């Protein structure tokens, strides 16, 4: 009996901190060519296979752009920020309370000057022995060092950038301002 996997439905187990280091269990719809019936099938994919499947599927959508994704989730698209002089522990609590993985760091004029992520906290504060009272500015990734996208960037290009760069957040820049953030989670919802 010939089987054809027709669509990748959703990732079942993806841990935020181990995304690129482990396999993922995915639910796929399988079409049985001889009988014409559909069944659900669970398979294990490596991150590379999962990214390849996501890229393949996203290329076949009508080349959606970041702008389309941000407009579609506009009512939920709140930008979470933190002042550059606030404490690192405050940033961690804010991320935890809002179930997010990054914050936009802003200056006194509320302009985005960088990004702080969970990974920044681990690699630049905890491992290096900094205190929880360390200012956010000391461990953030400055805007000049960020890989960014624009509203006109293809979603498939975002997937590729995140995969190749091995990070989880892409700031959206428009008129030299950070106007949003695209995450791995957002892109999987688009697929």
């Amino acid at each position: 009996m010939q089987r054809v996997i027709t669509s990748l439905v959703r990732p079942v187990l993806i841990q935020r901190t181990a995304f690129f280091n482990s396999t993922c269990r995915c639910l796929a719809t399988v079409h049985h060519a001889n009988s014409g019936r559909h069944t659900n099938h669970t398979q294990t994919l490596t991150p590379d296979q999962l990214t390849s499947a996501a890229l393949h599927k996203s290329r076949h959508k009508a080349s959606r752009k970041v702008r389309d994704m941000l407009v579609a989730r506009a009512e939920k698209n709140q930008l979470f920020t933190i002042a550059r002089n606030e404490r690192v522990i405050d940033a961690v609590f804010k991320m935890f309370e809002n179930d997010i993985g990054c914050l936009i760091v802003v200056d006194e004029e509320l302009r985005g000057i960088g990004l702080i992520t969970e990974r920044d906290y681990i690699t630049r504060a905890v491992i290096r022995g900094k205190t929880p009272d360390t200012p956010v500015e000391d461990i953030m990734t400055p805007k000049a060092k960020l890989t960014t996208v624009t509203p006109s960037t293809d979603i498939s290009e975002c997937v590729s950038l995140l995969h190749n760069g091995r990070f989880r957040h892409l700031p959206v820049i428009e008129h030299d301002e950070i106007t949003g953030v695209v995450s791995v989670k957002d892109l999987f919802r688009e697929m």
Side-chain angles (χ1 to χ4, degrees):
M1 178 187 303
Q2 183 182 11
R3 295 187 317 166
V4 180
I5 296 178
T6 57
S7 68
L8 186 63
V9 178
R10 65 182 169 87
V12 177
L13 292 176
I14 296 180
Q15 292 183 354
R16 190 183 296 191
T17 57
F19 176 72
F20 291 109
N21 300 327
S22 66
T23 58
C24 303
R25 303 227 2 116
C26 295
L27 180 66
T29 301
V30 178
H31 175 73
H32 299 275
N34 294 343
S35 66
R37 63 185 174 86
H38 296 279
T39 59
N40 288 331
H41 172 74
T42 302
Q43 65 187 80
T44 302
L45 299 176
T46 65
D48 286 337
Q49 291 170 322
L50 186 59
T51 302
S52 295
L55 277 171
H56 175 74
K57 190 167 182 182
S58 68
R59 284 187 190 123
H60 287 84
K61 285 192 170 189
S63 68
R64 289 186 40 100
K65 308 283 185 196
V66 169
R67 177 183 308 104
D68 302 327
M69 183 175 61
L70 294 177
V71 167
R73 65 175 187 154
E75 66 277 353
K76 296 184 280 184
N77 193 26
Q78 182 180 358
L79 289 179
F80 293 94
T81 62
I82 191 159
R84 70 197 302 166
N85 57 354
E86 286 194 52
R87 302 175 314 154
V88 170
I89 195 68
D90 296 330
V92 171
F93 279 120
K94 194 169 191 176
M95 285 186 273
F96 174 75
E97 289 169 354
N98 294 292
D99 192 28
I100 54 174
C102 76
L103 295 168
I104 298 170
V105 181
V106 295
D107 62 12
E108 293 74 22
E109 288 86 38
L110 300 179
R111 290 184 311 231
I113 59 168
L115 212 64
I116 182 170
T117 67
E118 298 163 320
R119 189 178 290 173
D120 291 336
Y121 174 68
I122 299 292
T123 61
R124 296 180 186 163
V126 174
I127 291 177
R128 294 183 181 166
K130 297 201 178 209
T131 69
D133 294 328
T134 301
V136 167
E137 186 175 33
D138 291 355
I139 68 163
M140 73 174 192
T141 304
K143 189 165 127 181
K145 290 187 178 183
L146 291 170
T147 299
T148 62
V149 295
T150 65
S152 61
T153 305
D154 285 337
I155 289 176
S156 60
E157 185 179 340
C158 292
V159 172
S160 181
L161 286 169
L162 288 171
H163 176 70
N164 294 335
R166 295 185 134 4
F167 41 81
R168 294 180 288 246
H169 303 94
L170 282 172
V172 181
I173 302 288
E174 189 171 24
H175 308 296
D176 202 38
E177 290 291 322
I178 300 174
T179 59
V181 176
V182 174
S183 70
V184 169
K185 190 189 311 184
D186 297 330
L187 293 172
F188 273 113
R189 284 187 195 127
E190 279 296 305
M191 298 300 144

